[in-house]
């Protein structure tokens, strides 16, 4: 028998986790189904969804995430019944009025992307106020995608560049990926490292199609109102356990 000190150690080491994502984007899906499963009105599902947003923001701050983008209202959501759209807008107003001071106190910067000119004036003013009050904060950048559509964003970017070309301010041959990225609503914000979608659906629903070209995706069965810090951490750990190649060789194989 070999001495005890030389016995083989058969324990399997846990794989090392990679760095945290700088930017997490979330498609918050399942509010209506959450309410329907409980025999509640859809508005109650949306209310509980706002609570999940609050939990997620707190978790992101605690983890040290730099950017968190939430898909609040898509350009396609206008197809929903008018009373549900009105409820969603009412929840947005309430969220900003109730939570803005707390976000500001926690050094959160609020940024809004999407077709703001198409919104009612009172909504535009609230969004402007949220950005203005928090613009100097240096903590988490909370990006709210509201009245947002990814294809529409790209169309608007192309139009901006076309106007610059027509005015003689831009050489068409000088247009590259950086030029296009700078014309998008997300200019100055790094692309998402991780995209999370809840509710078991496995599609991107016109959410940041340009920016997510090399993002990692985690699709969760949880309905959005049930999303909490533990679920968030588990999704992030999935991301940290992956080998990101960006079209090149595996870093683990080097």
């Amino acid at each position: 028998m070999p001495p005890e000190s030389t016995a083989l150690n058969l324990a399997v080491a846990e794989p090392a986790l990679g760095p945290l994502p700088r930017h997490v984007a979330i498609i918050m899906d399942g509010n209506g189904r959450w309410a329907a499963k409980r025999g509640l009105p859809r508005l109650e599902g949306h209310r509980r969804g706002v609570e999940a947003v609050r939990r997620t923001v707190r978790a992101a701050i605690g983890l040290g995430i730099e950017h968190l983008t939430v898909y609040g209202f898509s350009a396609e959501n206008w197809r929903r019944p008018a009373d549900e759209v009105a409820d969603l807008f009412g929840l947005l107003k309430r969220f900003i009025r109730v939570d803005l001071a707390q976000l500001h106190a926690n050094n959160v910067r609020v940024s809004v992307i999407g077709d703001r000119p198409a919104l009612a004036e009172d909504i535009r003013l609230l969004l402007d106020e949220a950005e203005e009050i928090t613009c100097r904060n240096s903590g988490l950048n909370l990006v709210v995608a509201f009245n947002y559509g990814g294809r529409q964003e790209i169309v608007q970017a192309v139009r901006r560049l076309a106007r610059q070309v027509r005015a003689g301010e831009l050489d068409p041959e000088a247009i590259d990926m950086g030029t296009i990225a700078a014309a998008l609503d997300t200019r100055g914000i790094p692309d998402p490292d991780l995209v999370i979608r809840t509710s078991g659906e496995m599609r991107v629903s016109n959410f940041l199609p340009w920016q997510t070209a090399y993002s990692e995706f985690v699709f969760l069965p949880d309905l959005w109102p049930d999303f909490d810090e533990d679920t968030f951490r588990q999704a992030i750990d999935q991301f940290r356990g992956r080998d990101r190649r960006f079209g090149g060789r595996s870093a683990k194989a080097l």
Side-chain angles (χ1 to χ4, degrees), residues 2-59:
E4 187 175 329
S5 60
T6 60
L8 293 175
N9 182 0
L10 300 179
V12 178
E14 290 290 330
L17 293 177
L20 287 167
R22 291 184 63 200
H23 183 176
V24 178
I26 305 180
I27 302 171
M28 309 178 295
D29 194 18
N31 291 344
R33 275 168 282 175
W34 184 92
K37 284 176 63 175
R38 291 160 177 79
L40 298 170
R42 288 179 67 87
L43 177 58
E44 184 60 25
H46 294 310
R47 285 175 177 157
R48 298 299 183 92
V50 171
E51 293 176 11
V53 172
R54 294 187 178 110
R55 291 194 297 268
T56 305
V57 169
R58 288 194 297 268

Side-chain angles (χ1 to χ4, degrees), residues 66-206:
E66 296 179 35
H67 305 270
L68 174 68
T69 297
V70 292
Y71 204 3
F73 187 87
S74 78
E76 288 75 26
N77 284 158
W78 291 103
R79 301 171 187 166
R80 296 187 179 190
D83 58 345
E84 183 176 356
V85 172
D87 287 340
L88 289 169
F89 277 65
L91 287 172
L92 173 71
K93 292 178 185 178
R94 194 171 301 117
F95 177 77
I96 293 176
R97 289 169 178 158
V98 171
D99 290 70
L100 184 58
Q102 187 67 30
L103 292 170
H104 186 40
N106 282 285
N107 199 29
V108 174
R109 182 170 73 259
V110 177
S111 306
V112 182
I113 61 173
D115 185 6
R116 210 177 312 185
L119 299 173
E121 183 179 11
D122 61 336
I123 296 289
R124 293 199 310 272
L125 291 174
L126 276 175
L127 298 177
D128 290 346
E129 179 185 7
E131 288 187 323
E132 182 177 352
I133 289 174
T134 64
C135 66
R136 293 178 179 82
N137 292 343
S138 57
L140 173 71
N141 181 24
L142 175 61
V143 183
V144 180
F146 200 83
N147 198 26
Y148 174 85
R151 289 182 172 180
Q152 292 90 328
E153 178 190 26
I154 293 171
V155 167
Q156 291 298 323
V158 170
R159 287 175 177 168
R160 292 187 190 105
L161 296 176
R163 286 193 289 269
Q164 292 179 41
V165 170
R166 183 174 60 187
E169 301 168 355
L170 179 64
D171 180 354
E173 298 303 317
I175 297 174
D176 57 16
M177 288 186 287
T179 311
I180 295 172
L184 297 172
D185 292 353
T186 53
R187 54 192 169 275
I189 301 171
D191 292 341
D193 303 293
L194 169 63
V195 178
I196 301 169
R197 180 170 187 150
T198 57
S199 86
E201 303 292 350
M202 297 186 183
R203 57 180 179 272
V204 297
S205 297
N206 201 20

